[in-house]
Amino acid sequence: MTPASFRQYGIKGAVIVIAGFIWFLLLGYRDLIEPDEGRYAEIAREMLSSGDWVTPRLNGFKYFEKPPLQYWGSAISMAILGETNAAARVWCSGLGFVAALWAGFVGKRLYGGSAGYFAFLFSISTVLYAGMGHANSLDMGVSALLFIAMGALVLAQTERHRPNQERNWMLLAWVALAGATLSKGLIGLVLPGGTLVLYTLWQRDWALWRHLHLGKGLLVYLLVAAPWFVAVSYANPEFPHFFFIHEHFERFTSDVHGRTKSNWYFFAVFAIGAMPWLFSAINGVIKPPFSWRAEPGKFEASRLLWVYAIFVFFFFSISHSKLPGYILPMFPALALLVGENMAKRKHFIADGIVAIVLASIIFIFFIWQADDTAKIGRLAAHLPLFRPWIIATAVLAATAGISTLVFRHKKDLAVSVFALCALLGIQMLSWGYQSISELRSSRAMAEAIQSYIAQSGKNNVEIYDIARYDQSLPYYLGRTITLVNFTGELEFGIKQEPQKWLSEADFLPLWLNSDQAIGILNQKTYNELNLVNFPWNQPNFPMRIIYQNSRYIAVARQ
């Protein structure tokens, strides 16, 4: 290795280290955002607290919407780091960074060092990937494991002439598929399986199926994935129908979860999620690094990755249930296509122009127009607190764009500065959200409740959530709460154990006969004093406010 090459590798290594530092910096600074972050943190906390690692529970009720791998990972993190914001996010954030490194490794093996380096930078600095990598949701975990599987599959097929290497890569792929299944269910098989079918029909690479090591692979897959499904079904006979029929078939084919969006919804998600690399992302889709005319019988890694990315996008586009994170699995595969394209380009200016335009839009809107257009009262009231962070993001986006012009003859440097500025800008938005966290987090309320309980000198104070469920509240309290007149996503669990739930009629005498109790109401319920026949308007009704914000009021029985 020449001194110049050694220096180049050293600079790239330093950039990767800096990216990792920014990625994990202040991981626990922002409070958990409801509903997802609070929900998945609480399930993990209850697993750790109860010692039951088979049956997931949310606020004490059975919760079978998703398998347990992320809950296990988060519970282990909490056992080591404590029940903190950072511990709740370590699993997602760690897997997200690992998958980005994996994209770099696979890209280097397939297309060369520059392509792998660019694939890594693309991964860690797009809005959707970096954003979901710092949120405690299931999308990043399943996306990372699916991509590890697809990357290992691609590497295996490039090693068909070396049976041992091919087998090892394929066994890794099968283990990762099992992990994906334990993370979010059957899409751990559906997405790769559909991709392989479409790819072989197009490429006519029928030999691919002979090199999947189906016998050993399925055995490994079942050894890893099956034990929990057997154990939870044995402990909870109601699980199979709810999980496989309701959570898979009905979710995909009906509006049972109320997440219906237009079939064009994910085009908008993609456009925003690919920022500030939108030009490169579109280029990777419409100008992939392969010929549109297939060469029958030849394995084509880029074609397989492209089919996977496109299949993920359209699979969820036709689903009746849509959320932004659903198309996240396509991004690591797209990163490899982008990385190969970028390695062949002389300049990196178009994405810089996109970043400059994006920065300009942010400046114009949030400096001059935001107060006039923020129609939601609570958001308008909090916007001044968030504005400095948004402006910092705009400055970083502009810096990223300008760097592509300043360093237009030094592509590696331009891409490195662009990616680091983009990542830091996305992190600024995440950290800045803490300034308005009370809009979507219950930490402050939990602290007020804990302070009241400590002052009362009683540890067995009952806490009632009335006609609502604040997802992060149990996690921050370190205990479950009692739901009154609310079911929501806990409807299935409540039906299994109805004695843990209260109706309006059940609640009132318990409140009146309590020495100490705390109730949580939204502003509307509190203002409409005689709502649902609660006698709030009676002078002798025992309550006083102990905490209040723009979302809810916590009252104590006095």
Side-chain angles (χ1 to χ4, degrees):
M1 182 180 294
T2 65
S5 298
F6 183 80
R7 184 167 56 253
Q8 185 180 30
Y9 276 105
I11 293 173
K12 289 181 178 178
V15 170
I16 292 172
V17 171
I18 294 171
F21 176 77
I22 297 173
W23 182 270
F24 291 104
L25 182 64
L26 301 179
L27 187 60
Y29 176 70
R30 173 176 50 79
D31 291 338
L32 299 178
I33 296 175
E34 296 172 352
D36 285 6
E37 287 202 294
R39 176 196 301 124
Y40 299 128
E42 174 59 13
I43 294 172
R45 186 199 69 81
E46 290 185 39
M47 273 193 170
L48 181 63
S49 176
S50 67
D52 183 356
W53 296 72
V54 173
T55 302
R57 290 181 178 272
L58 176 59
N59 196 45
F61 295 103
K62 295 179 180 181
Y63 191 83
F64 293 145
E65 292 200 4
K66 298 295 183 291
L69 184 59
Q70 179 163 322
Y71 311 148
W72 293 342
S74 297
I76 292 171
S77 298
M78 292 171 191
I80 298 171
L81 302 175
E83 295 171 10
T84 63
N85 295 337
R89 297 189 180 111
V90 162
W91 177 260
C92 298
S93 191
L95 273 180
F97 197 75
V98 167
L101 291 173
W102 179 246
F105 174 78
V106 175
K108 181 179 180 181
R109 292 286 295 261
L110 294 177
Y111 312 121
S114 292
Y117 179 65
F118 296 146
F120 166 78
L121 292 178
F122 175 90
S123 295
I124 54 100
S125 57
T126 51
V127 166
L128 186 62
Y129 192 89
M132 298 304 297
H134 295 86
N136 182 28
S137 74
L138 302 178
D139 298 302
M140 179 53 78
V142 71
S143 298
L145 289 165
L146 280 170
F147 178 62
I148 290 172
M150 294 304 297
L153 168 65
V154 167
L155 293 178
Q157 301 313 308
T158 61
E159 299 278 6
R160 290 178 181 176
H161 59 290
R162 304 170 69 184
N164 289 338
Q165 284 78 359
E166 175 196 276
R167 178 201 63 213
N168 293 340
W169 286 123
M170 280 309 309
L171 291 180
L172 173 60
W174 284 105
V175 170
L177 287 179
T181 304
L182 282 171
S183 293
K184 211 173 180 183
L186 295 182
I187 64 168
L189 285 179
V190 171
L191 295 182
T195 298
L196 292 183
V197 170
L198 293 174
Y199 165 80
T200 50
L201 289 174
W202 184 9
Q203 183 71 13
R204 285 173 283 175
D205 179 14
W206 311 114
L208 172 70
W209 295 88
R210 298 197 303 271
H211 293 270
L212 295 180
H213 294 265
L214 286 169
K216 293 178 182 177
L218 285 171
L219 177 61
V220 169
Y221 174 86
L222 291 173
L223 286 174
V224 175
W228 177 78
F229 285 97
V230 173
V232 73
S233 298
Y234 179 78
N236 307 275
E238 66 275 18
F239 167 81
H241 180 271
F242 179 85
F243 182 80
F244 292 107
I245 303 301
H246 179 76
E247 279 302 304
H248 285 78
F249 180 75
E250 291 180 359
R251 176 189 287 264
F252 187 84
T253 60
S254 72
D255 303 333
V256 65
H257 285 276
R259 297 170 180 170
T260 305
K261 302 287 192 303
S262 165
N263 289 337
W264 299 96
Y265 173 74
F266 284 121
F267 285 94
V269 173
F270 178 83
I272 297 171
M275 289 290 185
W277 301 80
L278 183 60
F279 177 83
S280 290
I282 293 175
N283 203 42
V285 172
I286 65 176
K287 294 182 179 179
F290 58 79
S291 171
W292 291 106
R293 185 182 180 89
E295 297 181 39
K298 177 185 177 182
F299 177 70
E300 178 59 74
S302 297
R303 193 185 308 277
L304 178 61
L305 293 167
W306 186 88
V307 170
Y308 173 70
I310 298 301
F311 179 67
V312 168
F313 184 90
F314 283 102
F315 176 84
F316 288 111
S317 291
I318 65 174
S319 169
H320 282 251
S321 182
K322 295 180 176 70
L323 288 174
Y326 286 2
I327 64 167
L328 184 64
M330 72 179 290
F331 273 73
L334 179 61
L336 293 177
L337 303 177
V338 169
E340 185 180 4
N341 273 341
M342 289 180 61
K344 297 175 182 177
R345 286 160 54 187
K346 291 183 179 180
H347 301 291
F348 179 65
I349 297 177
D351 286 299
I353 295 173
V354 171
I356 292 172
V357 171
L358 178 64
S360 301
I361 293 172
I362 294 173
F363 271 122
I364 292 171
F365 180 78
F366 282 100
I367 292 178
W368 291 311
Q369 297 295 323
D371 290 339
D372 295 331
T373 56
K375 296 180 181 179
I376 302 175
R378 289 181 302 181
L379 178 59
H382 288 80
L383 191 60
L385 300 173
F386 199 9
R387 178 177 281 152
W389 297 91
I390 297 172
I391 294 174
T393 298
V395 170
L396 286 164
T399 303
I402 293 170
S403 71
T404 65
L405 302 177
V406 174
F407 303 121
R408 59 185 177 276
H409 299 303
K410 299 178 180 179
K411 185 173 65 175
D412 285 6
L413 180 59
V415 177
S416 299
V417 173
F418 183 89
L420 291 178
C421 286
L423 173 59
L424 185 56
I426 295 167
Q427 288 286 65
M428 284 289 179
L429 287 179
S430 176
W431 300 332
Y433 196 88
Q434 178 61 17
S435 63
I436 59 173
S437 64
E438 74 163 42
L439 294 175
R440 295 283 298 277
S441 176
S442 300
R443 181 189 60 81
M445 179 170 63
E447 290 178 350
I449 291 173
Q450 288 170 327
S451 176
Y452 174 82
I453 292 175
Q455 292 174 6
S456 72
K458 295 184 178 181
N459 295 323
N460 60 342
V461 177
E462 194 68 40
I463 301 173
Y464 301 99
D465 223 355
I466 303 165
R468 60 186 295 121
Y469 175 50
D470 300 284
Q471 293 274 12
S472 65
L473 182 58
Y475 182 72
Y476 285 121
L477 289 174
R479 53 167 287 183
T480 58
I481 57 182
T482 301
L483 300 185
V484 179
N485 196 36
F486 178 89
T487 55
E489 64 184 307
L490 291 171
E491 181 178 6
F492 173 81
I494 290 171
K495 287 180 178 179
Q496 307 305 312
E497 300 171 292
Q499 71 279 6
K500 296 181 178 180
W501 181 86
L502 295 178
S503 67
E504 301 168 4
D506 296 328
F507 165 69
L508 187 56
L510 289 175
W511 179 271
L512 293 174
N513 293 322
S514 297
D515 292 330
Q516 292 286 342
I518 294 172
I520 300 149
L521 313 86
N522 63 28
Q523 195 76 39
K524 181 180 179 181
T525 302
Y526 185 82
N527 290 339
E528 298 175 1
L529 296 176
N530 60 351
L531 186 66
V532 295
N533 298 321
F534 287 158
W536 303 115
N537 57 337
Q538 294 184 14
N540 62 348
F541 189 85
M543 72 169 185
R544 67 182 179 88
I545 295 175
I546 61 172
Y547 177 81
Q548 182 174 6
N549 66 17
S550 58
R551 286 201 305 157
Y552 40 60
I553 299 172
V555 298
R557 191 219 185 282
Q558 54 181 7

